[in-house]
Amino acid sequence: MKTLQKLWWLTFLRGVILLILAFFVFRHPVNALMGVAIYIGISLLITGILQTAASIGFKDLFPNWEYILAGGLLDIVFGFVLLSNPALTASTLPFVVGFWIMVSGIMSFSDAFQSKKEGNSLWALSMLGGVLSVLIGYLIMSNIVVGVLTITTWMGIGFAIAGIVNITIGLKLKSLK
């Protein structure tokens, strides 16, 4: 705890940086989405390289190392594709996110029926959440502008909340005796 108290300013600084990042996301949502697209491409490239190296280097440990190798090579290819055209990646993100939200909504909706059979009194809430998720996912998928604004707004809100929390923790650590 003493070390955290001495380094309170790092937590405070992280909070300030997160608030600045939130401001940037709200001010430039398209650029923020492009940044996410580039981040995803780089992440796929790195994980693909590591997975490929691990599958070759430790093939004695993995009985089906060829599948791991194939997955790593696919990640590398997708990473290069995403990085070669970040604008295309950014424009497809709302579709991917919307589709993911719709699928999770459908799963929640269908789980509500099982919850009802099991006597869970909150099954209707799960059903409502599933329906709302499907509708929100559809809205994100059907209108790119709405999708971009939705994704970047939630990113900005997340950065802002994390920034405020970090600043608060940093100030609390500073004031501890």
Side-chain angles (χ1 to χ4, degrees), residues 65-126:
W65 68 272
E66 299 91 355
Y67 295 116
I68 297 169
L69 175 66
L73 293 173
L74 273 174
D75 280 354
I76 291 171
V77 169
F78 283 131
F80 275 122
V81 168
L82 297 180
L83 288 173
S84 69
N85 195 347
L88 178 64
T89 303
S91 67
T92 60
L93 276 178
F95 178 78
V96 172
V97 170
F99 183 76
W100 174 69
I101 291 171
M102 285 181 70
V103 168
S104 68
I106 291 168
M107 291 171 58
S108 182
F109 183 81
S110 64
D111 285 346
F113 292 108
Q114 183 63 32
S115 292
K116 185 178 180 181
K117 285 180 188 175
E118 293 172 0
N120 186 341
S121 62
L122 299 175
W123 68 270
L125 193 57
S126 181

Side-chain angles (χ1 to χ4, degrees), residues 4-25:
L4 283 176
Q5 287 175 324
K6 289 179 186 175
L7 299 174
W8 68 269
W9 59 273
L10 284 174
T11 305
F12 181 83
L13 181 62
R14 181 179 3 166
V16 170
I17 291 170
L18 285 166
L19 281 178
I20 292 169
L21 189 56
F23 175 75
F24 173 77
V25 168

